Amino acid sequence: MTVNVDDAFIRRAVELADLNAVRVALYQQTHDPQIYELPMAAQLDDAQRELLISKTVDWLKDHASSEMPAEPDEAELRTLMNLATKEEMPDLEFNARRDLASFKDYPWTASWTNGKPALPENFRVAIVGSGFSGLAAAVQMELLGIPYVVLERRPEPGGTWTINRYPDVRVDTISITYEFSFEKRYPWTEYFGRGHEVREYLQYISKKYGVLANTLFDRDLQKATFNPDSDTWTLQIGTPDGTETMEVNAVINAMGTFANPNFPSFEGMDSFEGQIIHPARWPEDWDATGKRVAVIGNGSTGVQIVRPVSQVAEHVDVYQRTPQWISPRALYGDPVEPEIRWLQDNFPGYWNWWRYMAIAGLFQTHGFILPDEEWQAKGGTWNAMSDGLRDTLIAYIKDQVKGDQELIDKLIPDYAPFSRRPVVDNGWYESLTRDNVELVTSPIVRITPTGIETEDGKIHPVDTIITATGFEVAKYVWPADYLGKDGQSIHDFWSKDGPRAYISMMVPNYPNMWMLYGPNSQPLSGGTGLPIWYVIWAAYAAQCMVKMIEQGKRRVEVKQDAYERYNEALDAEASKTILMQKIGGIDHNYYINHEHNRMQVNAPWYGPEYHRMCTEVEWDDLEIS
């Protein structure tokens, strides 16, 4: 799109921009002491704000350029990072965050020690899944020059983004952080990318970085068997034409956490005469117009679905088992303005520092999950941060439902914020005030042929039931089976206390096998977007392979005692967090493995410390042979 870039256009661009990112990018270019002394954007007075904007506009009129800035040296980078958040950053935090601005071509990736050595004959890696984590692993293999194949059970790359096609599906973290940092300045059309655009992005990455040419589609891994004699894995793969086998030296399982839909089981479901839809199985031709619809679930998916469906349906019943803390996001649903697109492409450093500042808002989130006993002794619920957020979110609920006290009483959770996955509001609260929408909190007893019966004795007539009930997050690598060096199924190995792993990726007796987004992998806090972690985890697996190949070995695996030590420490750390407490809503939290009463999805560590664990390999914990 052609735009007329005059002085007014440039000023609009800067005024629309993240002024914290503007401040750091301009200082990086000018080292202007006046810019250095400015406070964070939220604290700028009118004069300071005008100073920053006018200086930036004047600089851009003379120096706008599409050139990407080089990575500053360490001292300069530390200065800029401290300036960004107005804090002196200790080494642990600096090392974890130094690549967030993505000046390097390929941040966080692994490399050979002294150039690529000769690889063992026919050495090949299988990557299972072509979603974000699978693509991260594949690009890492491309960089190392290690032969690989991606096995994708769907007919296209994209993972969970190819199966979730329900109305208004989109990312709920700003797109500039929900992307790979090795692909610079991707032209998202909205601040929070819609599902189709995320799919297009993943297809673009797959093709551009050579992954597509190494991907086999319609390939469903059924079984992987480790062969101790040859230190290889034999893969049994389902295809449209039957079963085929493949032998590889290593497996990176990138199926992720959200691979297997959780289908509810209510009495009478088989008798229902209408249509039952899980969002991960959304029919392309379904139309809500004129229908009576039930939406079961109010997590991220259920919340996204209600508004578009309620705008055309005759009636919508929203079934809420547990209230959620649902919060607004600035710019959610808004298009990226041409001015911002131009600024990303022509203000060197702005894209980098916008990425950084979009993540920096999460740096302090670890404070939400740990208790403050002094605060509680004074009458507080958990700690000052948590209680303050609770007050803010309650005020938001009251505003969105226009003070309807009956709704307010049903919508305020009895657990603390940030103890479950935060849900982003796309108009869900407001939709509940529509004449054709009813919030139902009485538990479902059974499904009748033409409706839903609830515990209060009411029968709600319905044509279509949408079961926004999420995924079976404890079914890692399911339904595939992995047979380790002793022939044991990994699912049997995990039967004692649920899926576990060492640093979320490795399991003893399963050599040369890693999981990305595996058990206890999702960081609770610390401020980095998930695509960054996909690259970090892929690089961890790559570091292990690099060490193995450079030493002329054939096998790398985690030691049993290291695995046990790590998980004992993990459980101890998890027990301190709000997620494992009653006030954290433990009873209805999908982050928790309720069968074994332990944290299942999250890594409980402080984010920068977990980053250290995932990037500095503890070689004594591994056996390379």
Side-chain angles (χ1 to χ4, degrees), residues 93-409:
E93 285 77 4
F94 173 73
N95 290 331
R97 297 166 182 166
R98 62 177 301 164
D99 284 337
L100 294 181
S102 302
F103 290 106
K104 294 177 183 174
D105 289 340
Y106 292 94
W108 296 290
T109 51
S111 58
W112 300 107
T113 305
N114 293 301
K116 180 184 175 183
L119 298 179
E121 186 177 1
N122 299 321
F123 190 92
R124 184 165 61 158
V125 176
I127 299 167
V128 184
S130 67
F132 266 101
S133 54
L135 291 177
V139 170
Q140 175 67 82
M141 294 300 104
E142 288 277 348
L143 294 174
L144 292 172
I146 294 178
Y148 69 94
V149 60
V150 178
L151 304 175
E152 171 54 55
R153 62 187 178 188
R154 305 263 309 158
E156 59 184 322
T160 192
W161 287 100
T162 70
I163 65 173
N164 284 283
R165 296 170 180 260
Y166 57 84
D168 216 29
V169 57
R170 67 172 73 224
V171 298
D172 56 10
T173 57
I174 194 164
S175 295
I176 197 171
T177 68
Y178 200 78
E179 61 179 10
F180 293 120
S181 51
F182 52 76
E183 177 62 33
K184 319 295 186 185
R185 298 170 169 171
Y186 186 79
W188 298 101
T189 64
E190 293 191 25
Y191 285 98
F192 291 78
R194 294 177 184 267
H196 71 86
E197 193 166 9
V198 178
R199 289 194 294 275
E200 291 167 2
Y201 172 76
L202 293 171
Q203 291 164 2
Y204 170 82
I205 294 293
S206 180
K207 184 175 182 179
K208 176 177 178 179
Y209 291 90
V211 181
L212 190 63
N214 290 282
T215 302
L216 297 177
F217 295 105
D218 298 309
R219 298 299 194 278
D220 189 9
L221 178 65
Q222 298 169 342
K223 182 187 291 186
T225 304
F226 187 74
N227 310 303
D229 294 337
S230 60
D231 293 316
T232 59
W233 285 92
T234 298
L235 310 183
Q236 180 178 307
I237 304 162
T239 79
D241 300 320
T243 301
E244 63 184 27
T245 60
M246 177 185 297
E247 190 167 283
V248 296
N249 301 82
V251 179
I252 298 177
N253 192 299
M255 287 179 63
T257 299
F258 303 105
N260 297 293
N262 179 34
F263 297 101
S265 178
F266 294 109
E267 179 187 336
M269 285 186 75
D270 291 343
S271 71
F272 185 62
E273 296 173 358
Q275 192 170 7
I276 299 176
I277 301 172
H278 190 285
R281 300 289 186 269
W282 198 268
E284 291 186 12
D285 59 350
W286 186 76
D287 184 1
T289 302
K291 290 184 170 66
R292 297 187 66 88
V293 180
V295 179
I296 301 175
N298 63 333
S300 296
T301 298
V303 165
Q304 287 182 333
I305 287 172
V306 168
R307 184 181 61 85
V309 168
S310 67
Q311 289 173 343
V312 297
E314 176 187 334
H315 182 84
V316 178
D317 287 320
V318 178
Y319 288 82
Q320 172 187 278
R321 181 182 65 174
T322 305
Q324 300 273 12
W325 290 112
I326 302 173
S327 59
R329 288 285 192 280
L331 303 174
Y332 189 84
D334 291 353
V336 176
E337 301 89 347
E339 292 88 344
I340 293 298
R341 178 77 261 151
W342 180 88
L343 201 68
Q344 287 188 87
D345 293 340
N346 293 281
F347 185 2
Y350 176 74
W351 176 85
N352 307 81
W353 292 109
W354 185 20
R355 274 182 59 87
Y356 187 90
M357 293 310 303
I359 295 170
L362 301 175
F363 285 174
Q364 306 304 322
T365 52
H366 202 69
F368 284 112
I369 67 175
L370 297 177
D372 183 339
E373 293 180 0
E374 291 185 11
W375 177 260
Q376 293 172 12
K378 296 175 183 177
T381 302
W382 183 251
N383 63 34
M385 285 179 64
S386 175
D387 290 2
L389 179 59
R390 176 187 176 88
D391 292 341
T392 299
L393 293 177
I394 288 175
Y396 178 70
I397 293 171
K398 292 178 177 178
D399 174 72
Q400 290 297 295
V401 301
K402 303 176 178 62
D404 184 327
Q405 194 59 49
E406 184 179 353
L407 273 179
I408 292 168
D409 291 342

Side-chain angles (χ1 to χ4, degrees), residues 50 57 62-63 84 142 156 217 252 260 274 290 294 331 473 478 519 594:
E50 177 54 34
V57 171
D62 295 328
H63 301 95
E142 288 277 348
E156 59 184 322
F217 295 105
I252 298 177
N260 297 293
L331 303 174
V473 297
W478 185 270
H594 296 288

Side-chain angles (χ1 to χ4, degrees), residues 111-113 117-120 123-125 141 144 146 226 230-233 248-252 506 510-514 540-557 617 619 622-625:
S111 58
W112 300 107
T113 305
L119 298 179
F123 190 92
R124 184 165 61 158
V125 176
M141 294 300 104
L144 292 172
I146 294 178
F226 187 74
S230 60
D231 293 316
T232 59
W233 285 92
V248 296
N249 301 82
V251 179
I252 298 177
M506 301 179 75
Y510 297 83
N512 299 357
M513 193 274 275
W514 295 266
Y540 183 96
Q543 285 188 71
C544 294
M545 276 188 249
V546 164
K547 188 93 161 179
M548 177 180 71
I549 293 169
E550 289 182 340
Q551 291 186 353
K553 308 295 186 181
R554 301 188 307 176
R555 179 191 296 188
V556 56
E557 60 184 307
V617 181
W619 295 111
L622 307 183
E623 183 176 342
I624 303 178
S625 59

